[in-house]
Amino acid sequence: AALDLRGAAYFPGFLDPAAQAALVEDLRRVVAEAPLFSPTTRFGGKMTVRMTSAGRYGWYSDRRGYRYEALHPSGRPWPAIPERVLSVWKELVGPARLPDCCLVNLYEGNARMGLHQDRDEADLSWPVLSISLGDEALFRIGGTERGGPTESLRLRSGDVLILAGASRLAYHGIDRIYPGTSGLLPRGGRINLTLRVVD
Ligand code: MD5
Ligand code: FE
């Protein structure tokens, strides 16, 4: 059953360990086709998270800003979103419209993600679905105004979050990961998948 987290639907332990391991296998194929990279922010710094994408679009950032791109930096199209990832969306969001971007974020060591809003998508009425795999993370979520109160939550491997309604535009980020809290990834670290309808 879903718990209410500031309007977001939180499904702790939605994926069992076998389902988590199957997703990791799928992601190995995605990363082999579309290698991870560290984007540059619009301010010129390197992000500490490494990322890649699957689907019609991938999220990308450089000095020109944040946007979705139809091609990986290699010039090739992004790989297809794995069927088992789409199944999670179909089960929790529905089959009417499938996501066209699956962003893959890899957190290793001291990687973190500062508080931000997700608003690069054309139609913000579609939810964002997030899947956590691997080491635990300290997730922080606030309201729709920068600087307001926030609350923190440990996201664990297999947890799923659906950001819809007011939470779709909530400020959120990852303050840190906790090394050694999961055996899912052989080299440790945390993967987050975010599924989005882009256009
Ligand atoms: C992560 N990723 O765990 C985080 C959290 C990102 C990103 O934020 O943009 O790649 S994913 C959860 C999320 C997504 C959209 C909205 C909200 C949370 N929210 O309003 O809380 O790698
Ligand atoms: Fe985000």
Side-chain angles (χ1 to χ4, degrees), residues 103 105 107 113 116 118 128 130 139 141 161 163 167-168 170 172 174 190 192 194 196:
L103 175 63
N105 290 151
Y107 295 78
M113 190 177 285
H116 66 278
D118 288 17
V128 173
S130 147
F139 173 70
I141 182 168
L161 258 181
L163 299 308
S167 69
R168 179 66 180 77
H172 61 279
I174 296 290
R190 171 178 186 260
N192 179 262
T194 45
R196 297 185 175 84

Side-chain angles (χ1 to χ4, degrees), residues 128-141:
V128 173
L129 187 153
S130 147
I131 301 174
S132 293
L133 297 169
D135 284 336
E136 294 175 13
L138 187 60
F139 173 70
R140 185 136 60 107
I141 182 168

Side-chain angles (χ1 to χ4, degrees), residues 2-151:
L3 306 178
D4 187 307
L5 179 74
R6 291 176 170 254
Y10 176 43
F11 299 83
F14 185 77
L15 298 171
D16 67 26
Q20 295 168 38
L23 290 188
V24 171
E25 282 313 305
D26 291 339
L27 294 171
R28 286 190 201 295
R29 285 189 284 273
V30 167
V31 169
E33 263 185 77
L36 294 159
F37 56 94
S38 298
T40 301
T41 68
R42 64 167 90 244
F43 312 107
K46 280 271 181 223
M47 293 181 69
T48 54
V49 177
R50 290 196 293 154
M51 51 181 72
T52 190
S53 292
R56 237 159 26 89
Y57 293 106
W59 190 82
Y60 190 72
S61 169
D62 61 17
R63 294 304 279 261
R64 286 166 44 212
Y66 308 132
R67 61 192 181 273
Y68 287 95
E69 290 279 2
L71 302 176
H72 182 272
S74 64
R76 298 189 299 267
W78 307 94
I81 301 177
E83 222 25 76
R84 285 186 279 234
V85 174
L86 291 175
S87 299
V88 178
W89 174 282
K90 287 179 200 164
E91 188 173 345
L92 293 179
V93 178
R97 173 74 141 101
L98 295 180
D100 34 36
C101 176
C102 172
L103 175 63
V104 180
N105 290 151
L106 175 65
Y107 295 78
E108 291 176 306
N110 294 319
R112 54 186 301 281
M113 190 177 285
L115 281 177
H116 66 278
Q117 290 176 299
D118 288 17
R119 51 184 319 152
D120 301 327
E121 302 77 26
D123 182 353
L124 298 172
S125 66
W126 285 100
V128 173
L129 187 153
S130 147
I131 301 174
S132 293
L133 297 169
D135 284 336
E136 294 175 13
L138 187 60
F139 173 70
R140 185 136 60 107
I141 182 168
T144 56
E145 309 275 325
R146 191 181 272 290
T150 62
E151 66 188 280

